Amino acid sequence: MSTMQKLLQLPVNAVNMVKNAQGIGQGEEEALSPVTPDGGTQNWYNAVQPEELRHLRFGGGGGGGEWSEEHPVQEEGLTSVQTQPLRHDDLKEMLDSNKDSLKLEAMKRIVAMIARGKNASDLFPAVVKNVACKNIEVKKLVYVYLVRYAEEQQDLALLSISTFQRGLKDPNQLIRASALRVLSSIRVTIIVPIMMLAIKEAASDMSPYVRKTAAHAIPKLHSLDPEQKDQLIEVIEKLLADKTTLVAGSVVMAFEEVCPDRIDLIHKNYRKLCNLLIDVEEWGQVVIINMLTRYARTQFLNPNVNESLLEESGERAFYASDDDEEDEDKKAEEAALPKRKPYVMDPDHRLLLRNTKPLLQSRNAAVVMAVAQLYFHLAPKAEVGVIAKALVRLMRSHSEVQYVVLQNVATMSIKRRGMFEPYLKSFYIRSTDPTQIKILKLEVLTNLANETNISTILREFQTYIKSMDKDFVAASIQAIGRCATNIGEVRDTCLNGLVQLLSNRDELVVAESVVVIKKLLQMQPEQHSDIIKHMAKLIDNIQVPMARASILWLIGEYCEHVPKISPDVLRKMAKSFTNEEDIVKLQIINLAAKLYLTNSKQTKLLTQYVLNLAKYDQNYDIRDRARFIRQLIVPTDKSGALSKYAKKLFLALKPAPVLESPFKDRDHFQLGSLSHLLNAKAGGYQELPDWPESAPDPSVRNQEEVIDSSEGRIGLLGDWRESGPPSSTLLEQSSGAEDRKRGRKAVKNQKSASESESESESSESEEEESEEESGEESESDTDIRKKKTPVSKQPPKQSKKESKKETQEMSLLDLDDFEPTTATAPVTPVNFMSSSLVSDLEGLSLTDSILAPTTIAPSGSIKMYELLHRIKGEGLAVEYCFSRQPFSPDPNMVAVQIQFTNNTNSETKNLHIEEPKLQSGMRVREFSEIEVLAAGDSVTVVMGIDFCDSTQAANFQLCTHTRKFFVTIQPPVGELMTPAFLTENDFKKEQENLLDGKLMGMNEISEKLSLGEKCVNEHIIVERVTATANLSRVPCGSDKECRFAGKTVSSGCLVLVTVATKEGVGAQLTVNCEKMVIGTMLVKDILQALSQ
Amino acid sequence: MIHSLFLVNASGDIFLEKHWKSVVSRSVCDYFFEALERATEPENVPPVIPTPHHYLINVLRHRIYFVAVIQSEVPPLFVIEFLHRVVDTFQDYFGVCTEAAIKDNVVVVYELLEEMLDNGFPLATESNILKELIKPPTILRTVVNTITGSTNVGEQLPTGQLSVVPWRRTGVKYTNNEAYFDVVEEIDAIIDKSGSTITAEIQGVVDACVKLTGMPDLTLSFMNPRLLDDVSFHPCVRFKRWEAERILSFIPPDGNFRLLSYHVSSQNLVAIPVYVKHNISFREGSSQGRFELTLGPKQTMGKAVESVLVSSQLPRGVLNANLNASQGTYTFDPVTKLLSWDVGKINPQKLPSLKGSVSLQAGAFKPDENPTINIQFKIQQLAISGLKVNRLDMYGEKYKPFKGIKYMTKAGKFQVRT
């Protein structure tokens, strides 16, 4: 802490320092200038001078950052030596003045200097004094200056530290954040301990924004002092556990910079990151996705492991990603490889793929690319196709984006050609494309060429050859060559086309054609001696060295096919040998050697002549080659055993070259990365690891999963709840916010569970295992992985549970486990009476108050409805539910439990109801006014509404001290009744009464239905019915029938429900009720609940 | 991530530099200038240039190169996308993004860059948040500031960054509440010599200008949403709602923004609104070539084709063009060999034509390539794909906004090969 103390005393010393610095300013500057990073030299100063002077002489009029033009003529009279002492004095004066406007003006001009790269470091003492200025803009500009020059003036920079330290304690989160931001940006080693302390403190700040800033500060400190790494990793670990979207992106960024190899830190946060991803800001998404790609490569198995064993060439085209299709595929593959152990995708792997997919729709090209590379590296082959469309979309973007995307598409199209085939035409080239884009498109087109589309592609290529852009034409010719080597059928057509190009007027075109023809001819030289002859004629005209060399090599190689022409070509070349380029010379030597071996009679002298010329060539390569060849082919007494084999050496059959894409095998770099683009490892690049042979233990990712929803954003997926109601098979907790999040989870989990089920039967065993586990453990264990399996297998267990009292207690305990972790203030447990419980415990005497807290929550018996969305309510979220409690002040009213959550940063006051607009007869009993609702708090109240046994909505205004919101409560029909306890006989009697009493049939509504898949037993039926309507079960002798009874709240009419199950899934639903409307609606609701 | 940024103008001068970490000498740009020299065209500079210690990633917009210096691995698109976002922000603030505009507003530029990146990592890129932090300069404000000495920097602390809808400012107030949506479609097509379509696609965007008080929640539905094959959204759009119901539901940012861009599936037949009859021929040995162009409307759904502009890069051997335009004016630049013809509106009764001769360099060979013809046009009140907005509803606020929807079809990259 000694450094700290020193620092606190520092300002006193520093003031002296300022004085000194001002005094010695110029001298110091002279010394400094050569080492300034701008490379400012004396010359450079001279150039600057006039400009700075102008301000001096004209009083620096005009707005800040004015750009003066340089008038060297005007300044002629002044030499740099004279002006040097006057530099910036006016600025210093302005900075010292009391007027903020002058200070601002000065700062603006200084910032303008910095922007132009001029040195303004000598103003440091004058500027830094203003760090505590009241004016915000001056302050901000001082920060800009400080961050820029603090490194060079470390001692003086310390002056400002105390200001920031004060800022760190400010009650306003934004000021805390900005203080930390600037403090951590000052690259002065001496304050490392202060920074460390500030970061640690900020990492546990209440405000997520400050925590985000702390995450940003971590890499800054790390680059300043790498020795702090261990401590920083601790902070990263802590921040990784943060549950807000604001922090997630920044901390992963810090993780990537400081400790990308500490993959173990991710385990516990993996699922959270996957789930938060959609709501993270776009830049954070990119970083997280890239990191998760690497993570997944270390933790999961290769989903294509079976396919990679199959022949790659038998590639099929997959475009769709429907799950059925995928399943079919899987089955097909499994059938093909019966012996292999079927691959089962880890649910976490699936989670990642599913949660990233919607991001393909992002407007940000970097996000789309990140998802695309994730799918390319991680997804099963059949699913990769989805990324093609999004990548093709990016091609409409700026040319730089196109460039990068095309590079990646080129790599992908080699591995997964089928993926881009449907988009072939999107890669057609326009004359207005920049050349580099054209060449990349050509690359993609070539990769996509196959037997079926080659004719279209070649027709396109023909147009390209006529282009005015010669570089592009050359690339097109090479592309034709590659198509010809890859696709045998079109080889002759291509060759003919290329030969025609040999008569093109443009030499570059001809040269390129020659080179390509040479490669093609190597494949089948016998049939093409006329082409070789044609090319021999060209040697007189073509000047491009590469082309000449190619022709000479061809003639030499196939001299037996053109025995008459070849010696003549050698003669010509011998004549021009000295003027040729090096590669041509080498080929002349080769040609001579080959001819000497096959036709020594005619060419002996020529060869010797050429070799003699080569012996005295300037290039040592050529001299060496000549020496080597002479020894080899010209038999002398000294020549060794090798000369016997000279012919074999020179005229060996050479394999035809394989024309390969330069993008082949680039996919060992992570796609979308800088390293991939450059095809070289960039600094800081993290290798994409190979898939592990066997998956590491997946349980490392298990963790307590509680997400604080109050700070979540409404992102793309923000409103899950609107599209999918919370799953009804999970235990619902009392906190509203909790419910929602968990509902979201549950929907996802259910899906994934059914998916993983369908993926393979072998997962069955695993499921059973985990079911046992979760049977032992409590229901509300929040771990997804375990949760997943119970979801699909819930029904039987649920019944077990309810029959046992112990389990009920257990769920109570779990509730406790839950509460401390929620960030929103715990809500008092809702006292409600589950009607199914009531029916279960019917024989006992009922006392609400005792039983209420121990309620188990059968599926969805309490469903929260939204009264006021927190966005519409400007931070006030209101939800309500029908608690099914009798409303004590008025038994004819339905009790509505309303929960207010204040998501704003300020208190909300005087919450009450005004101006109910009700249908005739309806009545409302308001709750007593809530005086204060503190920020982040929740409160629950109960109000009573008499709906008059109709489902008409009750409208009223919800008022706070500032605003009024119109809200509506509409009850489902099932909530308009209370349970009535009847015996079996009573039930029958009442039923008959109803039927006999008045018009027959009017009071009975009967409907046939087929039960949904999950309504397998009586218990589920009871559960579903009681969830839909507030009824109680009536004991019944027959196990094929379930009976329920209730009364409407307002008028007390009996409601009797009978569900008679038949063979299979058939069932008969009967509702008896005097109120026809209620009866009809109830039938509808129950029908829906049962047939789901 | 991003270490430094240099702005380089067309003549190769660095006119602005900004460093987020320690200072990188501007001499690093020499590598960029080398690449610039090598490139024949300004747009042919490779976007990523490796140097011994750094990597330079640049984008070219409005004839200014934005050169970012990075030191280690970072997804190149990340940087490119960010640089484009910077340009968009400048354009948003200053109306144009030119060297002069940047120099005039250098302090605002610096303040913006400071807020947009922290230690090289993007911090606030949403225009709505930035505008809360730094007010865009207007003439009025400049005058007021000079007189009163007040500042461009927002007085209150910005809360947008903390809000649940970071793209929207809080406390928006308007006297006239309006929401305008422009559906703009572009046709990208390549037409071959004989007039048949080689490839044609429709790309569309829905741009919005929303000036609504408070926190409105809008829904926009289409009559025929199935037309949209591939879409990308502004982050404000609720994706799940779209997936489930094909309805755009969103809390809009304040001001101008791009709500949606889409692609109409290429399987659908694309209506080509104009046709071109051309006869461009050069004879061997002659120094004259014939040039004839006639334009006509094709499938325009009864709407007028306007603002037609034809341009063509003639072969290098062409010296001059003596042409006669039946309508509009044409220009030929003998240096760049660019022929452009401003046609205006196509009158179906009297088709516009451009006829005449082009003179070639004496003794030059007949050019073996024919020029490509690029066409631009506009059709008002028509979305060529047939996309139609069904309705726009607002929730969450009580007033009645004024709503407007405009359709337009434009030529994108529309080329005719001859």
Side-chain angles (χ1 to χ4, degrees), chain B residues 308-377:
Chain B
V308 182
L309 184 73
V310 177
S311 61
S312 178
Q313 180 78 47
L314 297 186
R316 246 164 277 159
V318 174
L319 269 187
N320 210 343
N322 291 311
L323 304 171
N324 223 335
S326 73
Q327 165 185 352
T329 50
Y330 85 94
T331 53
F332 177 74
D333 184 341
V335 181
T336 58
K337 315 289 181 200
L338 187 73
L339 173 76
S340 64
W341 175 29
D342 189 352
V343 184
K345 195 169 163 181
I346 295 183
N347 178 1
Q349 269 74 50
K350 196 169 158 290
L351 297 178
S353 65
L354 183 68
K355 284 179 189 165
S357 62
V358 289
S359 50
L360 296 170
Q361 243 159 2
F365 292 108
K366 157 181 125 67
D368 45 15
E369 71 267 10
N370 262 343
T372 322
I373 298 165
N374 296 302
I375 301 175
Q376 286 166 41
F377 56 81

Side-chain angles (χ1 to χ4, degrees), chain A residues 67 181 396 505 716, chain B residues 26 103 114 188 239 366:
Chain A
W67 286 74
R181 202 181 142 197
R396 280 276 303 176
R505 258 196 307 277
L716 287 166
Chain B
R26 55 165 68 192
K103 282 180 167 178
E114 187 73 26
D188 287 355
F239 184 66
K366 157 181 125 67

Side-chain angles (χ1 to χ4, degrees), chain A residues 151-162:
Chain A
E151 211 172 0
E152 295 168 31
Q153 312 246 348
Q154 306 227 343
D155 293 342
L156 288 175
L158 297 178
L159 265 177
S160 59
I161 304 299
S162 60

Side-chain angles (χ1 to χ4, degrees), chain A residues 152-363:
Chain A
E152 295 168 31
Q153 312 246 348
Q154 306 227 343
D155 293 342
L156 288 175
L158 297 178
L159 265 177
S160 59
I161 304 299
S162 60
T163 316
F164 301 125
Q165 280 180 310
R166 254 199 314 280
L168 287 171
K169 299 272 182 290
D170 198 282
N172 187 314
Q173 47 177 339
L174 289 156
I175 293 180
R176 286 202 301 277
S178 95
L180 178 61
R181 202 181 142 197
V182 182
L183 178 69
S184 57
S185 300
I186 297 175
R187 290 170 294 275
V188 177
T189 340
I190 197 164
I191 64 162
V192 164
I194 298 182
M195 274 164 77
M196 194 67 227
L197 212 66
I199 290 175
K200 276 185 177 165
E201 214 157 273
S204 35
D205 198 287
M206 259 170 55
S207 152
Y209 185 66
V210 177
R211 296 202 297 272
K212 181 190 176 76
T213 317
H216 276 273
I218 292 170
K220 296 184 203 169
L221 182 53
H222 181 250
S223 65
L224 190 63
D225 183 7
E227 283 181 12
Q228 304 293 323
K229 188 173 172 180
D230 292 339
Q231 285 196 59
L232 287 175
I233 291 177
E234 275 170 37
V235 182
I236 290 175
E237 190 171 4
K238 183 172 179 188
L239 285 173
L240 272 174
D242 204 296
K243 293 180 178 66
T244 51
T245 51
L246 213 52
V247 182
S250 306
V251 68
V252 173
M253 184 65 231
F255 171 84
E256 290 282 79
E257 291 219 352
V258 177
C259 52
D261 45 340
R262 287 291 303 274
I263 215 91
D264 56 300
L265 295 180
I266 303 300
H267 292 319
K268 287 256 178 272
N269 303 299
Y270 172 81
R271 288 173 194 151
K272 182 195 69 198
L273 284 174
C274 286
N275 289 324
L276 286 183
L277 192 58
I278 196 99
D279 287 334
V280 175
E281 39 88 39
E282 35 194 9
W283 310 108
Q285 285 173 347
V286 178
V287 179
I288 296 177
I289 293 172
N290 280 321
M291 187 274 289
L292 288 179
T293 309
R294 241 176 44 238
Y295 177 84
R297 272 294 188 99
T298 60
Q299 299 299 320
F300 306 130
L301 291 175
N302 185 356
N304 298 320
V305 68
N306 291 340
E307 285 162 59
S308 55
L309 292 172
L310 288 169
E311 272 287 296
E312 267 295 321
S313 61
E315 241 180 32
R316 279 168 295 166
F318 300 117
Y319 319 128
S321 67
D322 304 10
D323 285 359
D324 334 325
E325 201 178 311
E326 174 197 329
D327 287 349
E328 273 170 33
D329 259 340
K330 285 261 185 289
K331 272 173 204 152
E333 277 149 25
E334 274 161 27
L337 295 156
K339 279 176 231 158
R340 290 223 126 244
K341 196 176 151 223
Y343 165 77
V344 184
M345 186 182 273
D346 189 305
D348 287 329
H349 190 173
R350 173 56 64 199
L351 177 76
L352 178 61
L353 291 177
R354 193 176 39 244
N355 283 7
T356 47
K357 197 172 162 189
L359 293 177
L360 282 174
Q361 251 69 48
S362 172
R363 64 168 171 172

Side-chain angles (χ1 to χ4, degrees), chain A residues 37-38 65 67 104 108 111-112 114-117 135-137 140-141 144 148 151 172-175 181 185 187 209 212 216 219-220 246 249-250 253 257 282-284 286-287 290 358 361-366 369 389-390 393 396 398 400-405 425-426 428-432 434-436 460 463-464 466 468 504-505 672-675 677-678 681-685 712-717 719-720 722-723 871-872 966, chain B residues 1 15-17 19-23 25-26 43-48 50 55 58-61 70 72-78 80-82 84-85 103-104 106-107 110-111 114-115 117-119 121-123 125-126 151-155 157-158 161-164 166-167 186 188-190 198-199 201 203 215 229-235 237-241 251 313-316 365-366 368-369 371-372 374 395-396 398 413 415 417:
Chain A
D38 302 72
W67 286 74
L104 183 59
K108 281 183 171 175
V111 167
I114 296 174
R116 276 172 294 169
N135 184 308
I136 294 177
E137 190 165 15
K140 280 203 167 177
L141 296 177
V144 169
R148 169 69 178 77
E151 211 172 0
N172 187 314
Q173 47 177 339
L174 289 156
I175 293 180
R181 202 181 142 197
S185 300
R187 290 170 294 275
Y209 185 66
K212 181 190 176 76
H216 276 273
K220 296 184 203 169
L246 213 52
S250 306
M253 184 65 231
E257 291 219 352
E282 35 194 9
W283 310 108
V286 178
V287 179
N290 280 321
Q361 251 69 48
S362 172
R363 64 168 171 172
N364 187 320
M369 189 67 232
K389 200 188 266 180
R393 182 183 69 228
R396 280 276 303 176
H398 302 285
E400 296 88 6
V401 175
Q402 269 188 56
Y403 178 82
V404 178
V405 171
K425 287 189 172 173
S426 304
Y428 280 6
I429 292 154
R430 289 159 211 277
S431 59
T432 42
T435 311
Q436 50 185 358
E460 256 317 277
T463 336
Y464 301 161
K466 290 185 200 139
M468 290 180 225
N504 194 295
R505 258 196 307 277
S673 68
L674 184 64
S675 306
L677 189 85
L678 299 169
K681 218 169 133 181
Y685 173 72
R713 277 172 31 193
I714 310 293
L716 287 166
L717 276 178
D719 281 10
W720 261 87
E722 283 176 21
S723 49
I871 289 169
K872 286 182 196 159
F966 283 95
Chain B
M1 297 214 122
F15 67 92
L16 188 122
E17 63 178 67
H19 308 275
W20 283 276
K21 301 186 184 180
S22 45
V23 179
S25 158
R26 55 165 68 192
E43 63 264 28
N44 269 335
V45 181
V48 181
Y55 304 93
N58 68 84
V59 305
L60 173 64
R61 287 272 296 268
I70 56 169
S72 56
E73 173 65 48
V74 54
L77 269 185
F78 186 98
I80 289 170
E81 182 79 27
F82 176 79
H84 281 299
R85 208 60 77 78
K103 282 180 167 178
D104 284 347
V106 71
V107 175
Y110 235 66
E111 285 168 346
E114 187 73 26
E115 290 300 336
L117 278 185
D118 179 18
N119 194 35
F121 189 74
L123 193 64
T125 49
E126 278 302 332
T151 70
N152 272 335
V153 174
E155 287 291 339
L157 289 156
Q161 272 162 308
L162 309 170
S163 128
V164 283
W167 54 85
E186 294 194 353
D188 287 355
I190 302 178
I198 292 180
T199 158
E201 297 178 323
Q203 312 275 350
M215 243 336 145
D229 177 41
D230 182 38
V231 282
S232 75
F233 299 116
H234 190 276
V237 176
R238 296 182 180 107
F239 184 66
K240 275 289 140 188
R241 191 87 191 270
I251 293 172
Q313 180 78 47
L314 297 186
R316 246 164 277 159
F365 292 108
K366 157 181 125 67
D368 45 15
E369 71 267 10
T372 322
N374 296 302
Y395 303 97
K398 271 174 281 180
K413 296 171 182 166
Q415 293 202 335
R417 292 175 178 166

Side-chain angles (χ1 to χ4, degrees), chain A residues 414 417 443-451 454 461 478-491 494 520 523 657-661 664:
Chain A
I414 291 173
R417 179 198 293 161
E443 177 67 37
V444 175
L445 285 175
T446 317
N447 289 341
L448 293 182
N450 61 17
E451 285 82 355
I454 184 68
F461 283 178
Q478 280 184 358
I480 293 175
R482 254 178 59 202
C483 287
T485 49
N486 297 340
I487 301 162
E489 286 91 329
V490 292
R491 195 168 298 150
C494 290
L520 287 181
M523 295 183 162
V658 186
L659 299 183
E660 271 184 344
S661 164
K664 195 166 190 280

Side-chain angles (χ1 to χ4, degrees), chain A residues 475-540:
Chain A
S476 303
I477 293 168
Q478 280 184 358
I480 293 175
R482 254 178 59 202
C483 287
T485 49
N486 297 340
I487 301 162
E489 286 91 329
V490 292
R491 195 168 298 150
D492 287 337
T493 332
C494 290
L495 203 51
N496 287 337
L498 290 172
V499 169
Q500 271 166 28
L501 282 179
L502 290 178
S503 50
N504 194 295
R505 258 196 307 277
D506 193 287
E507 202 192 5
L508 273 172
V509 174
V510 179
E512 202 66 44
S513 313
V514 167
V515 176
V516 174
I517 289 173
K518 177 207 133 191
K519 289 176 181 163
L520 287 181
L521 282 184
Q522 258 183 286
M523 295 183 162
Q524 44 207 145
E526 307 79 26
Q527 303 148 29
H528 299 295
S529 55
D530 47 333
I531 296 178
I532 298 174
K533 275 177 205 156
H534 183 86
M535 290 175 65
K537 282 178 205 153
L538 282 174
I539 200 95
D540 297 336

Side-chain angles (χ1 to χ4, degrees), chain B residues 83-96:
Chain B
L83 291 177
H84 281 299
R85 208 60 77 78
V86 169
V87 182
D88 293 341
T89 310
F90 287 172
Q91 219 167 353
D92 195 22
Y93 264 75
F94 315 130
V96 284

